[in-house]
Amino acid sequence: MKAIKGILFIILTMSSSALLWYFATPIEPIHAVNRLSHIIGGLAITGFFLVFLLATRMKILERWFHGLERLYFHHKWLAIFSLGLVILHGQLQDMVPDWDEAQETPLSEFAKELGELGQYGFIALILIALFAKFLKYEHWRIVHRLFLIPYALGIYHAYFSSRYDLFQPTSLGIFTALTATIGFMSALYMLTMYQDMYFNYKGKITGINKLGSNVIQLELTLDKKIPYRHGQFIFIKIFQDGLEKAPHPFSISGSDGKKVFITIKGLGDFTKKVFHSVQLNTPVALDGPYGHLNFEKGTQQQVWIAGGIGITPFLSYLQSHPADRNIELFYTYHGQDNAIYQEFLQEYAKTNQYFSVNFIDTAQMDRLSFENFSVPAKTSIFMCGPEKMVKRFAKQLKSFNTGADIEYEAFKIR
């Protein structure tokens, strides 16, 4: 499992939280249901600490999860799991006997009310976030920024309504203080400093090439070289009136360090506006690179699978290297207008004996499938394309090729 380090990090952090709450001593004796409720509530706060930490996209975390796509997968389900813990915590609190509740103070009652408010906030925001495909990207980002509010309310609730003294330098007190501080600072960092600290590769658009009815290639000239490896992608901000200032991810289709090429297909509001209105000499800022497609580390026998605009990371390699290993490319798209770089790939296959390409136009042919598709032993499989496509192909290939080495990048980042 390629994300094993990241998964272990989550398990160890959550387990530590559960054990510290379980073995901690309350200020005074409390009912068993209240004790369990505290453990569940502590786990929820720890879970949201991890959610905010993963959102920072720290390079070490990306490596532990073997790519941002996997990191965001665990980020999403950890948020849902933590919300479930919050709801369970609230249900258990309602079951606490009256004699236990009688020991509460006005301050703890107020903190309890804020905790309930935070719970409703988490429920509302997570439900909205789950319908991300119906939101504009900028609106989706605003929703995620608002998570700081219920998180802050939850921390206040934990400190001032808990029957454990979290202000003391006990193991539980130190752990809670560290995770709450890091979680809160991670959220503030994403709100305030991320845009300036991480987008430190500045440049401008020096070339525009329209490759079809909805595909455009941009040449970006940077002030300094970006440490790029073929198969990676970047987040880019385009500073032009009428375009969102929010960063968007795109695969690099070619680069020599200071000059970077990205190929964009007009699918959503932002990409359509870029296709129709982007101008030369527009300033840009880049964050990255990210991604774990590494063709050089693959075996001598490789199978490449690209869906639509997912051809770009493969082009980056081909345009810079004569293929020195056996590569078979399956390129699937819908309609000839979406078959970008087809002539280049055809010519490359003619002049390089190690490279072959299969074009699958789903407007004229059956959809590509890898059911009962056998690959030779020690074959590296690389895929890039829409999330549903690459996951379907991965499942098909693994079912017939036990132990197959499969790497992929999926388009879905949120």
Side-chain angles (χ1 to χ4, degrees):
M1 187 179 294
K2 299 182 183 298
I4 187 65
K5 288 184 179 179
I7 294 171
L8 284 175
F9 173 64
I10 292 175
I11 293 174
L12 289 173
T13 304
M14 295 295 283
S15 298
S16 298
S17 176
L19 290 172
L20 287 171
W21 279 97
Y22 180 80
F23 287 108
T25 303
I27 299 172
E28 52 192 358
I30 58 176
H31 192 271
V33 173
N34 201 356
R35 188 180 184 90
L36 178 60
S37 176
H38 277 75
I39 295 172
I40 298 297
L43 280 172
I45 292 295
T46 303
F48 280 113
F49 144 70
L50 289 170
V51 168
F52 283 113
L53 183 64
L54 296 186
T56 62
R57 297 206 294 256
M58 292 171 59
K59 290 296 180 68
I60 187 172
L61 292 174
E62 189 219 1
R63 290 195 297 271
W64 284 358
F65 285 93
H66 203 72
L68 281 185
E69 192 272 338
R70 292 181 179 87
L71 183 149
Y72 282 142
F73 172 84
H74 291 90
H75 165 86
K76 171 186 173 180
W77 287 104
L78 189 58
I80 295 172
F81 175 69
S82 299
L83 175 61
L85 292 174
V86 168
I87 295 173
L88 180 58
H89 167 73
Q91 295 298 313
L92 288 171
Q93 278 294 300
D94 292 337
M95 298 168 59
V96 174
D98 293 339
W99 66 264
D100 200 337
E101 290 184 346
Q103 301 176 48
E104 294 182 354
T105 65
L107 182 61
S108 65
E109 282 286 353
F110 178 66
K112 185 176 180 180
E113 292 175 1
L114 289 183
E116 291 179 355
L117 184 61
Q119 173 183 317
Y120 297 140
F122 275 129
I123 292 172
L125 292 174
I126 287 180
L127 286 176
I128 294 172
L130 288 176
F131 291 95
K133 64 181 179 180
F134 301 111
L135 299 175
K136 289 185 177 181
Y137 183 67
E138 182 61 30
H139 296 162
W140 175 82
R141 292 176 69 246
I142 292 173
V143 168
H144 276 64
R145 291 171 180 174
L146 292 176
F147 273 100
L148 180 60
I149 297 173
Y151 181 66
L153 294 177
I155 292 174
Y156 184 92
H157 168 76
Y159 271 93
F160 291 99
S161 71
S162 174
R163 306 296 284 277
Y164 296 77
D165 191 352
L166 299 179
F167 290 98
Q168 293 299 314
T170 61
S171 298
L172 177 62
I174 293 171
F175 178 85
T176 304
L178 282 175
T179 54
T181 301
I182 295 172
F184 197 81
M185 294 305 295
S186 295
L188 282 179
Y189 162 76
M190 294 303 294
L191 280 172
T192 59
M193 295 180 284
Y194 165 70
Q195 303 289 349
D196 297 323
M197 290 181 62
Y198 264 52
F199 286 83
N200 52 6
Y201 296 97
K202 307 293 194 299
K204 60 183 179 179
I205 298 172
T206 52
I208 300 174
N209 182 20
K210 293 191 175 182
L211 304 177
S213 60
N214 64 347
V215 179
I216 189 171
Q217 182 189 71
L218 302 182
E219 176 191 85
L220 315 175
T221 301
L222 307 180
D223 296 337
K224 60 181 179 179
K225 285 188 175 183
I226 188 169
Y228 157 73
R229 188 185 71 243
H230 302 291
Q232 293 187 298
F233 64 92
I234 47 88
F235 284 84
I236 181 173
K237 294 196 294 185
I238 301 176
F239 301 100
Q240 179 178 308
D241 291 340
L243 295 179
E244 283 183 5
K245 299 300 187 292
H248 291 260
F250 297 104
S251 294
I252 300 175
S253 54
S255 173
D256 64 0
K258 290 187 70 173
K259 188 164 289 186
V260 175
F261 293 89
I262 59 172
T263 306
I264 301 172
K265 184 175 181 179
L267 295 172
D269 292 338
F270 175 76
T271 52
K272 287 178 181 177
K273 286 183 179 178
V274 169
F275 179 83
H276 290 291
S277 64
V278 73
Q279 299 173 8
L280 285 172
N281 298 316
T282 297
V284 297
L286 275 58
D287 169 29
Y290 296 96
H292 284 263
L293 293 183
N294 193 337
F295 311 124
E296 287 87 349
K297 285 190 175 181
T299 60
Q300 283 299 113
Q301 186 75 29
Q302 298 188 9
V303 172
W304 294 357
I305 304 167
I309 200 69
I311 192 65
T312 50
F314 302 111
L315 286 168
S316 174
Y317 180 86
L318 294 176
Q319 290 176 341
S320 303
H321 292 79
D324 57 357
R325 58 197 72 200
N326 294 314
I327 299 171
E328 183 175 14
L329 168 64
F330 292 87
Y331 181 21
T332 178
Y333 49 87
H334 188 77
Q336 282 301 307
D337 283 346
N338 294 311
I340 57 174
Y341 301 106
Q342 186 176 28
E343 291 183 3
F344 168 80
L345 293 169
Q346 289 172 330
E347 187 62 29
Y348 194 95
K350 288 179 182 178
T351 58
N352 196 300
Q353 60 178 325
Y354 298 108
F355 178 80
S356 63
V357 59
N358 306 282
F359 296 104
I360 300 94
D361 182 356
T362 57
Q364 305 177 32
M365 305 166 61
D366 291 337
R367 189 171 68 169
L368 180 62
S369 174
F370 290 95
E371 290 182 355
N372 303 321
F373 182 84
S374 179
V375 298
K378 297 182 179 180
T379 297
S380 295
I381 302 172
F382 296 97
M383 297 189 291
C384 185
E387 182 185 43
K388 289 183 179 179
M389 184 202 81
V390 296
K391 289 189 174 181
R392 183 177 72 251
F393 289 163
K395 183 178 180 180
Q396 292 173 352
L397 288 163
K398 287 179 180 178
S399 67
F400 203 73
N401 301 273
T402 305
D405 179 24
I406 301 175
E407 295 278 358
Y408 64 80
E409 293 285 357
F411 288 164
K412 187 176 181 181
I413 295 295
R414 55 187 172 124

PDB file of all heavy atoms in Angstrom, residues 342-369:
ATOM      1  N   GLN A 342      -1.898  14.387 -31.306  1.00  0.00           N
ATOM      2  CA  GLN A 342      -1.977  13.106 -32.008  1.00  0.00           C
ATOM      3  C   GLN A 342      -0.878  12.986 -33.061  1.00  0.00           C
ATOM      4  O   GLN A 342      -0.237  11.938 -33.185  1.00  0.00           O
ATOM      5  CB  GLN A 342      -3.346  12.930 -32.668  1.00  0.00           C
ATOM      6  CG  GLN A 342      -3.546  11.556 -33.302  1.00  0.00           C
ATOM      7  CD  GLN A 342      -4.945  11.382 -33.856  1.00  0.00           C
ATOM      8  OE1 GLN A 342      -5.600  12.338 -34.249  1.00  0.00           O
ATOM      9  NE2 GLN A 342      -5.420  10.151 -33.889  1.00  0.00           N
ATOM     10  N   GLU A 343      -0.655  14.056 -33.812  1.00  0.00           N
ATOM     11  CA  GLU A 343       0.372  14.004 -34.859  1.00  0.00           C
ATOM     12  C   GLU A 343       1.757  13.790 -34.254  1.00  0.00           C
ATOM     13  O   GLU A 343       2.575  13.037 -34.799  1.00  0.00           O
ATOM     14  CB  GLU A 343       0.340  15.291 -35.685  1.00  0.00           C
ATOM     15  CG  GLU A 343      -0.908  15.429 -36.540  1.00  0.00           C
ATOM     16  CD  GLU A 343      -0.877  16.675 -37.393  1.00  0.00           C
ATOM     17  OE1 GLU A 343       0.160  17.403 -37.358  1.00  0.00           O
ATOM     18  OE2 GLU A 343      -1.875  16.952 -38.093  1.00  0.00           O
ATOM     19  N   PHE A 344       2.029  14.455 -33.138  1.00  0.00           N
ATOM     20  CA  PHE A 344       3.319  14.276 -32.479  1.00  0.00           C
ATOM     21  C   PHE A 344       3.519  12.824 -32.052  1.00  0.00           C
ATOM     22  O   PHE A 344       4.592  12.242 -32.256  1.00  0.00           O
ATOM     23  CB  PHE A 344       3.418  15.197 -31.262  1.00  0.00           C
ATOM     24  CG  PHE A 344       4.579  14.881 -30.357  1.00  0.00           C
ATOM     25  CD1 PHE A 344       5.861  15.316 -30.663  1.00  0.00           C
ATOM     26  CD2 PHE A 344       4.400  14.120 -29.212  1.00  0.00           C
ATOM     27  CE1 PHE A 344       6.949  14.998 -29.833  1.00  0.00           C
ATOM     28  CE2 PHE A 344       5.465  13.802 -28.374  1.00  0.00           C
ATOM     29  CZ  PHE A 344       6.740  14.253 -28.688  1.00  0.00           C
ATOM     30  N   LEU A 345       2.490  12.230 -31.464  1.00  0.00           N
ATOM     31  CA  LEU A 345       2.583  10.849 -30.985  1.00  0.00           C
ATOM     32  C   LEU A 345       2.747   9.871 -32.152  1.00  0.00           C
ATOM     33  O   LEU A 345       3.516   8.900 -32.060  1.00  0.00           O
ATOM     34  CB  LEU A 345       1.340  10.494 -30.166  1.00  0.00           C
ATOM     35  CG  LEU A 345       1.181  11.242 -28.840  1.00  0.00           C
ATOM     36  CD1 LEU A 345      -0.205  11.000 -28.249  1.00  0.00           C
ATOM     37  CD2 LEU A 345       2.254  10.818 -27.847  1.00  0.00           C
ATOM     38  N   GLN A 346       2.029  10.124 -33.247  1.00  0.00           N
ATOM     39  CA  GLN A 346       2.168   9.255 -34.418  1.00  0.00           C
ATOM     40  C   GLN A 346       3.587   9.322 -34.983  1.00  0.00           C
ATOM     41  O   GLN A 346       4.181   8.283 -35.321  1.00  0.00           O
ATOM     42  CB  GLN A 346       1.143   9.659 -35.484  1.00  0.00           C
ATOM     43  CG  GLN A 346      -0.290   9.311 -35.131  1.00  0.00           C
ATOM     44  CD  GLN A 346      -1.287   9.885 -36.116  1.00  0.00           C
ATOM     45  OE1 GLN A 346      -1.055  10.941 -36.717  1.00  0.00           O
ATOM     46  NE2 GLN A 346      -2.413   9.197 -36.285  1.00  0.00           N
ATOM     47  N   GLU A 347       4.112  10.515 -35.101  1.00  0.00           N
ATOM     48  CA  GLU A 347       5.465  10.683 -35.631  1.00  0.00           C
ATOM     49  C   GLU A 347       6.510  10.086 -34.691  1.00  0.00           C
ATOM     50  O   GLU A 347       7.479   9.461 -35.133  1.00  0.00           O
ATOM     51  CB  GLU A 347       5.743  12.172 -35.861  1.00  0.00           C
ATOM     52  CG  GLU A 347       7.053  12.468 -36.558  1.00  0.00           C
ATOM     53  CD  GLU A 347       7.124  11.868 -37.948  1.00  0.00           C
ATOM     54  OE1 GLU A 347       6.067  11.716 -38.590  1.00  0.00           O
ATOM     55  OE2 GLU A 347       8.257  11.547 -38.394  1.00  0.00           O
ATOM     56  N   TYR A 348       6.294  10.243 -33.389  1.00  0.00           N
ATOM     57  CA  TYR A 348       7.220   9.692 -32.401  1.00  0.00           C
ATOM     58  C   TYR A 348       7.259   8.168 -32.505  1.00  0.00           C
ATOM     59  O   TYR A 348       8.322   7.547 -32.436  1.00  0.00           O
ATOM     60  CB  TYR A 348       6.796  10.118 -30.991  1.00  0.00           C
ATOM     61  CG  TYR A 348       7.848   9.894 -29.925  1.00  0.00           C
ATOM     62  CD1 TYR A 348       8.713  10.910 -29.542  1.00  0.00           C
ATOM     63  CD2 TYR A 348       7.983   8.655 -29.305  1.00  0.00           C
ATOM     64  CE1 TYR A 348       9.673  10.706 -28.560  1.00  0.00           C
ATOM     65  CE2 TYR A 348       8.939   8.440 -28.323  1.00  0.00           C
ATOM     66  CZ  TYR A 348       9.781   9.469 -27.965  1.00  0.00           C
ATOM     67  OH  TYR A 348      10.739   9.256 -27.014  1.00  0.00           O
ATOM     68  N   ALA A 349       6.082   7.562 -32.673  1.00  0.00           N
ATOM     69  CA  ALA A 349       6.013   6.099 -32.795  1.00  0.00           C
ATOM     70  C   ALA A 349       6.715   5.601 -34.056  1.00  0.00           C
ATOM     71  O   ALA A 349       7.306   4.518 -34.058  1.00  0.00           O
ATOM     72  CB  ALA A 349       4.553   5.650 -32.784  1.00  0.00           C
ATOM     73  N   LYS A 350       6.669   6.409 -35.116  1.00  0.00           N
ATOM     74  CA  LYS A 350       7.313   6.004 -36.375  1.00  0.00           C
ATOM     75  C   LYS A 350       8.840   6.031 -36.265  1.00  0.00           C
ATOM     76  O   LYS A 350       9.533   5.217 -36.883  1.00  0.00           O
ATOM     77  CB  LYS A 350       6.875   6.936 -37.507  1.00  0.00           C
ATOM     78  CG  LYS A 350       5.448   6.736 -37.963  1.00  0.00           C
ATOM     79  CD  LYS A 350       5.109   7.730 -39.073  1.00  0.00           C
ATOM     80  CE  LYS A 350       3.664   7.589 -39.513  1.00  0.00           C
ATOM     81  NZ  LYS A 350       3.312   8.594 -40.574  1.00  0.00           N
ATOM     82  N   THR A 351       9.344   6.956 -35.462  1.00  0.00           N
ATOM     83  CA  THR A 351      10.795   7.161 -35.409  1.00  0.00           C
ATOM     84  C   THR A 351      11.461   6.489 -34.216  1.00  0.00           C
ATOM     85  O   THR A 351      12.688   6.566 -34.090  1.00  0.00           O
ATOM     86  CB  THR A 351      11.105   8.672 -35.373  1.00  0.00           C
ATOM     87  OG1 THR A 351      10.454   9.257 -34.245  1.00  0.00           O
ATOM     88  CG2 THR A 351      10.617   9.342 -36.661  1.00  0.00           C
ATOM     89  N   ASN A 352      10.672   5.875 -33.333  1.00  0.00           N
ATOM     90  CA  ASN A 352      11.267   5.225 -32.163  1.00  0.00           C
ATOM     91  C   ASN A 352      10.730   3.809 -32.039  1.00  0.00           C
ATOM     92  O   ASN A 352       9.532   3.600 -31.831  1.00  0.00           O
ATOM     93  CB  ASN A 352      10.934   6.029 -30.896  1.00  0.00           C
ATOM     94  CG  ASN A 352      11.814   5.637 -29.727  1.00  0.00           C
ATOM     95  OD1 ASN A 352      11.816   4.482 -29.318  1.00  0.00           O
ATOM     96  ND2 ASN A 352      12.565   6.592 -29.194  1.00  0.00           N
ATOM     97  N   GLN A 353      11.621   2.846 -32.168  1.00  0.00           N
ATOM     98  CA  GLN A 353      11.222   1.440 -32.192  1.00  0.00           C
ATOM     99  C   GLN A 353      10.713   0.939 -30.839  1.00  0.00           C
ATOM    100  O   GLN A 353      10.047  -0.089 -30.763  1.00  0.00           O
ATOM    101  CB  GLN A 353      12.403   0.580 -32.622  1.00  0.00           C
ATOM    102  CG  GLN A 353      13.611   0.683 -31.691  1.00  0.00           C
ATOM    103  CD  GLN A 353      14.756  -0.211 -32.114  1.00  0.00           C
ATOM    104  OE1 GLN A 353      14.534  -1.317 -32.618  1.00  0.00           O
ATOM    105  NE2 GLN A 353      15.991   0.267 -31.941  1.00  0.00           N
ATOM    106  N   TYR A 354      11.009   1.654 -29.759  1.00  0.00           N
ATOM    107  CA  TYR A 354      10.601   1.202 -28.423  1.00  0.00           C
ATOM    108  C   TYR A 354       9.215   1.710 -28.019  1.00  0.00           C
ATOM    109  O   TYR A 354       8.700   1.327 -26.981  1.00  0.00           O
ATOM    110  CB  TYR A 354      11.617   1.663 -27.375  1.00  0.00           C
ATOM    111  CG  TYR A 354      13.003   1.102 -27.578  1.00  0.00           C
ATOM    112  CD1 TYR A 354      14.043   1.917 -28.021  1.00  0.00           C
ATOM    113  CD2 TYR A 354      13.266  -0.246 -27.334  1.00  0.00           C
ATOM    114  CE1 TYR A 354      15.321   1.411 -28.205  1.00  0.00           C
ATOM    115  CE2 TYR A 354      14.539  -0.764 -27.525  1.00  0.00           C
ATOM    116  CZ  TYR A 354      15.563   0.072 -27.959  1.00  0.00           C
ATOM    117  OH  TYR A 354      16.820  -0.437 -28.151  1.00  0.00           O
ATOM    118  N   PHE A 355       8.642   2.587 -28.837  1.00  0.00           N
ATOM    119  CA  PHE A 355       7.386   3.243 -28.463  1.00  0.00           C
ATOM    120  C   PHE A 355       6.268   2.902 -29.440  1.00  0.00           C
ATOM    121  O   PHE A 355       6.461   2.949 -30.660  1.00  0.00           O
ATOM    122  CB  PHE A 355       7.583   4.763 -28.426  1.00  0.00           C
ATOM    123  CG  PHE A 355       6.342   5.544 -28.097  1.00  0.00           C
ATOM    124  CD1 PHE A 355       5.915   5.666 -26.785  1.00  0.00           C
ATOM    125  CD2 PHE A 355       5.594   6.166 -29.098  1.00  0.00           C
ATOM    126  CE1 PHE A 355       4.767   6.383 -26.474  1.00  0.00           C
ATOM    127  CE2 PHE A 355       4.456   6.885 -28.797  1.00  0.00           C
ATOM    128  CZ  PHE A 355       4.043   6.996 -27.478  1.00  0.00           C
ATOM    129  N   SER A 356       5.104   2.558 -28.888  1.00  0.00           N
ATOM    130  CA  SER A 356       3.918   2.324 -29.717  1.00  0.00           C
ATOM    131  C   SER A 356       2.722   3.001 -29.072  1.00  0.00           C
ATOM    132  O   SER A 356       2.675   3.177 -27.844  1.00  0.00           O
ATOM    133  CB  SER A 356       3.653   0.826 -29.885  1.00  0.00           C
ATOM    134  OG  SER A 356       3.375   0.215 -28.637  1.00  0.00           O
ATOM    135  N   VAL A 357       1.741   3.388 -29.876  1.00  0.00           N
ATOM    136  CA  VAL A 357       0.578   4.110 -29.353  1.00  0.00           C
ATOM    137  C   VAL A 357      -0.700   3.542 -29.946  1.00  0.00           C
ATOM    138  O   VAL A 357      -0.747   3.166 -31.123  1.00  0.00           O
ATOM    139  CB  VAL A 357       0.700   5.623 -29.666  1.00  0.00           C
ATOM    140  CG1 VAL A 357       0.807   5.883 -31.153  1.00  0.00           C
ATOM    141  CG2 VAL A 357      -0.479   6.393 -29.062  1.00  0.00           C
ATOM    142  N   ASN A 358      -1.723   3.456 -29.100  1.00  0.00           N
ATOM    143  CA  ASN A 358      -3.056   3.021 -29.504  1.00  0.00           C
ATOM    144  C   ASN A 358      -4.027   4.167 -29.261  1.00  0.00           C
ATOM    145  O   ASN A 358      -4.174   4.621 -28.117  1.00  0.00           O
ATOM    146  CB  ASN A 358      -3.504   1.803 -28.695  1.00  0.00           C
ATOM    147  CG  ASN A 358      -2.508   0.658 -28.755  1.00  0.00           C
ATOM    148  OD1 ASN A 358      -2.448  -0.070 -29.724  1.00  0.00           O
ATOM    149  ND2 ASN A 358      -1.696   0.514 -27.709  1.00  0.00           N
ATOM    150  N   PHE A 359      -4.687   4.646 -30.307  1.00  0.00           N
ATOM    151  CA  PHE A 359      -5.656   5.732 -30.184  1.00  0.00           C
ATOM    152  C   PHE A 359      -7.055   5.142 -30.068  1.00  0.00           C
ATOM    153  O   PHE A 359      -7.471   4.339 -30.910  1.00  0.00           O
ATOM    154  CB  PHE A 359      -5.578   6.655 -31.397  1.00  0.00           C
ATOM    155  CG  PHE A 359      -4.261   7.362 -31.534  1.00  0.00           C
ATOM    156  CD1 PHE A 359      -3.329   6.944 -32.472  1.00  0.00           C
ATOM    157  CD2 PHE A 359      -3.947   8.448 -30.729  1.00  0.00           C
ATOM    158  CE1 PHE A 359      -2.110   7.585 -32.614  1.00  0.00           C
ATOM    159  CE2 PHE A 359      -2.729   9.096 -30.854  1.00  0.00           C
ATOM    160  CZ  PHE A 359      -1.807   8.668 -31.788  1.00  0.00           C
ATOM    161  N   ILE A 360      -7.786   5.546 -29.042  1.00  0.00           N
ATOM    162  CA  ILE A 360      -9.146   5.054 -28.830  1.00  0.00           C
ATOM    163  C   ILE A 360     -10.084   6.250 -28.779  1.00  0.00           C
ATOM    164  O   ILE A 360     -10.154   6.969 -27.763  1.00  0.00           O
ATOM    165  CB  ILE A 360      -9.264   4.221 -27.523  1.00  0.00           C
ATOM    166  CG1 ILE A 360      -8.338   3.017 -27.566  1.00  0.00           C
ATOM    167  CG2 ILE A 360     -10.708   3.776 -27.318  1.00  0.00           C
ATOM    168  CD1 ILE A 360      -6.979   3.258 -26.921  1.00  0.00           C
ATOM    169  N   ASP A 361     -10.787   6.485 -29.880  1.00  0.00           N
ATOM    170  CA  ASP A 361     -11.759   7.571 -29.965  1.00  0.00           C
ATOM    171  C   ASP A 361     -13.128   7.011 -29.596  1.00  0.00           C
ATOM    172  O   ASP A 361     -13.754   6.292 -30.384  1.00  0.00           O
ATOM    173  CB  ASP A 361     -11.775   8.149 -31.384  1.00  0.00           C
ATOM    174  CG  ASP A 361     -12.731   9.330 -31.521  1.00  0.00           C
ATOM    175  OD1 ASP A 361     -13.435   9.639 -30.538  1.00  0.00           O
ATOM    176  OD2 ASP A 361     -12.777   9.922 -32.616  1.00  0.00           O
ATOM    177  N   THR A 362     -13.588   7.333 -28.387  1.00  0.00           N
ATOM    178  CA  THR A 362     -14.842   6.746 -27.914  1.00  0.00           C
ATOM    179  C   THR A 362     -16.067   7.302 -28.628  1.00  0.00           C
ATOM    180  O   THR A 362     -17.178   6.824 -28.412  1.00  0.00           O
ATOM    181  CB  THR A 362     -14.998   6.966 -26.394  1.00  0.00           C
ATOM    182  OG1 THR A 362     -14.927   8.370 -26.106  1.00  0.00           O
ATOM    183  CG2 THR A 362     -13.906   6.234 -25.630  1.00  0.00           C
ATOM    184  N   ALA A 363     -15.882   8.311 -29.486  1.00  0.00           N
ATOM    185  CA  ALA A 363     -16.995   8.782 -30.317  1.00  0.00           C
ATOM    186  C   ALA A 363     -17.239   7.825 -31.477  1.00  0.00           C
ATOM    187  O   ALA A 363     -18.326   7.833 -32.066  1.00  0.00           O
ATOM    188  CB  ALA A 363     -16.699  10.180 -30.839  1.00  0.00           C
ATOM    189  N   GLN A 364     -16.230   6.990 -31.793  1.00  0.00           N
ATOM    190  CA  GLN A 364     -16.351   6.065 -32.916  1.00  0.00           C
ATOM    191  C   GLN A 364     -16.106   4.614 -32.521  1.00  0.00           C
ATOM    192  O   GLN A 364     -16.438   3.703 -33.278  1.00  0.00           O
ATOM    193  CB  GLN A 364     -15.343   6.441 -34.019  1.00  0.00           C
ATOM    194  CG  GLN A 364     -15.450   7.871 -34.508  1.00  0.00           C
ATOM    195  CD  GLN A 364     -14.389   8.196 -35.536  1.00  0.00           C
ATOM    196  OE1 GLN A 364     -13.969   7.339 -36.295  1.00  0.00           O
ATOM    197  NE2 GLN A 364     -13.950   9.451 -35.560  1.00  0.00           N
ATOM    198  N   MET A 365     -15.531   4.395 -31.346  1.00  0.00           N
ATOM    199  CA  MET A 365     -15.151   3.046 -30.930  1.00  0.00           C
ATOM    200  C   MET A 365     -15.739   2.739 -29.552  1.00  0.00           C
ATOM    201  O   MET A 365     -16.212   3.640 -28.859  1.00  0.00           O
ATOM    202  CB  MET A 365     -13.614   2.926 -30.883  1.00  0.00           C
ATOM    203  CG  MET A 365     -12.919   3.304 -32.172  1.00  0.00           C
ATOM    204  SD  MET A 365     -11.136   3.545 -31.960  1.00  0.00           S
ATOM    205  CE  MET A 365     -10.634   1.933 -31.398  1.00  0.00           C
ATOM    206  N   ASP A 366     -15.687   1.461 -29.171  1.00  0.00           N
ATOM    207  CA  ASP A 366     -16.120   1.080 -27.830  1.00  0.00           C
ATOM    208  C   ASP A 366     -15.176   1.687 -26.799  1.00  0.00           C
ATOM    209  O   ASP A 366     -13.993   1.933 -27.070  1.00  0.00           O
ATOM    210  CB  ASP A 366     -16.127  -0.442 -27.678  1.00  0.00           C
ATOM    211  CG  ASP A 366     -17.224  -1.102 -28.501  1.00  0.00           C
ATOM    212  OD1 ASP A 366     -18.211  -0.406 -28.824  1.00  0.00           O
ATOM    213  OD2 ASP A 366     -17.080  -2.298 -28.829  1.00  0.00           O
ATOM    214  N   ARG A 367     -15.706   1.867 -25.590  1.00  0.00           N
ATOM    215  CA  ARG A 367     -14.901   2.428 -24.513  1.00  0.00           C
ATOM    216  C   ARG A 367     -13.742   1.496 -24.164  1.00  0.00           C
ATOM    217  O   ARG A 367     -13.893   0.272 -24.170  1.00  0.00           O
ATOM    218  CB  ARG A 367     -15.782   2.655 -23.282  1.00  0.00           C
ATOM    219  CG  ARG A 367     -15.113   3.437 -22.184  1.00  0.00           C
ATOM    220  CD  ARG A 367     -16.105   3.819 -21.098  1.00  0.00           C
ATOM    221  NE  ARG A 367     -16.584   2.648 -20.364  1.00  0.00           N
ATOM    222  CZ  ARG A 367     -17.287   2.729 -19.236  1.00  0.00           C
ATOM    223  NH1 ARG A 367     -17.627   3.916 -18.745  1.00  0.00           N
ATOM    224  NH2 ARG A 367     -17.687   1.635 -18.621  1.00  0.00           N
ATOM    225  N   LEU A 368     -12.599   2.078 -23.879  1.00  0.00           N
ATOM    226  CA  LEU A 368     -11.410   1.299 -23.527  1.00  0.00           C
ATOM    227  C   LEU A 368     -11.655   0.485 -22.265  1.00  0.00           C
ATOM    228  O   LEU A 368     -12.242   0.967 -21.302  1.00  0.00           O
ATOM    229  CB  LEU A 368     -10.224   2.238 -23.323  1.00  0.00           C
ATOM    230  CG  LEU A 368      -8.879   1.613 -22.951  1.00  0.00           C
ATOM    231  CD1 LEU A 368      -8.381   0.687 -24.055  1.00  0.00           C
ATOM    232  CD2 LEU A 368      -7.847   2.714 -22.677  1.00  0.00           C
ATOM    233  N   SER A 369     -11.202  -0.763 -22.275  1.00  0.00           N
ATOM    234  CA  SER A 369     -11.341  -1.639 -21.111  1.00  0.00           C
ATOM    235  C   SER A 369     -10.085  -2.487 -20.979  1.00  0.00           C
ATOM    236  O   SER A 369      -9.452  -2.842 -21.984  1.00  0.00           O
ATOM    237  CB  SER A 369     -12.571  -2.541 -21.261  1.00  0.00           C
ATOM    238  OG  SER A 369     -12.626  -3.484 -20.207  1.00  0.00           O
TER     239      SER A 369
END
